[in-house]
Amino acid sequence: QPYLAESGGGSVQPGGSLRLSCEASLYKLRISDYCMAWFRQAAGQEREEVASIDTEGRALYVDSVKGRFTVSRDNAKNTLYLQIDSLKPEDTATFLCAAKRRPCTLPMGLYGYNYMGLGTQVTVSS
């Protein structure tokens, strides 16, 4: 069982919405002790940190997703979420979640995590 498992991706039309989930294995990682982040990687492009949330629930977003992406965490369910609204074709990417053990600050950074999942694909096209 992986430490982090993403789900919720799919193919949607521009303007649509998706809710991504990242479930952590309770026996391996309790997210209450971790800063969490969502990254995305489009084909041929560098991985990008798009949203992150610290252990107090404070969130940080990259400018290109502000107002459209909302990151949240449910420590009781040991799950991280990413609500994506007003999807654009340029949002097409593999979305991956990551965890950084505290003490931790935001942004997490491309190499600042302790664990990362395998990702879920989001495709936006008409």
Side-chain angles (χ1 to χ4, degrees):
Q1 187 177 5
Y3 282 76
L4 298 170
E6 302 92 338
S7 63
S11 296
V12 297
Q13 293 186 341
S17 297
L18 284 173
R19 189 192 194 204
L20 308 184
S21 298
C22 171
E23 184 176 1
S25 171
L26 190 60
Y27 299 102
K28 297 180 179 179
L29 189 161
R30 292 183 180 268
I31 68 166
S32 56
D33 293 329
Y34 290 77
C35 289
M36 303 295 293
W38 285 99
F39 292 77
R40 68 182 176 186
Q41 186 160 22
Q45 296 187 22
E46 190 175 69
R47 186 173 293 172
E48 175 186 36
E49 182 176 354
V50 295
S52 50
I53 186 167
D54 66 13
T55 56
E56 301 301 316
R58 293 178 290 247
L60 188 67
Y61 301 93
V62 69
D63 285 346
S64 61
V65 308
K66 285 180 180 177
R68 299 190 300 119
F69 288 21
T70 303
V71 61
S72 61
R73 61 193 300 156
D74 187 334
N75 291 340
K77 294 183 178 179
N78 218 29
T79 301
L80 176 74
Y81 301 100
L82 185 68
Q83 177 68 38
I84 311 176
D85 298 317
S86 302
L87 276 157
K88 304 176 181 181
E90 51 264 42
D91 293 320
T92 296
T94 298
F95 282 73
L96 310 101
C97 67
K100 167 65 176 178
R101 189 181 298 110
R102 63 180 178 187
C104 51
T105 57
L106 304 181
M108 188 177 292
L110 285 178
Y111 306 106
Y113 57 88
N114 297 113
Y115 304 102
M116 178 173 277
L118 296 179
T120 185
Q121 178 66 34
V122 172
T123 301
V124 185
S125 69
S126 54

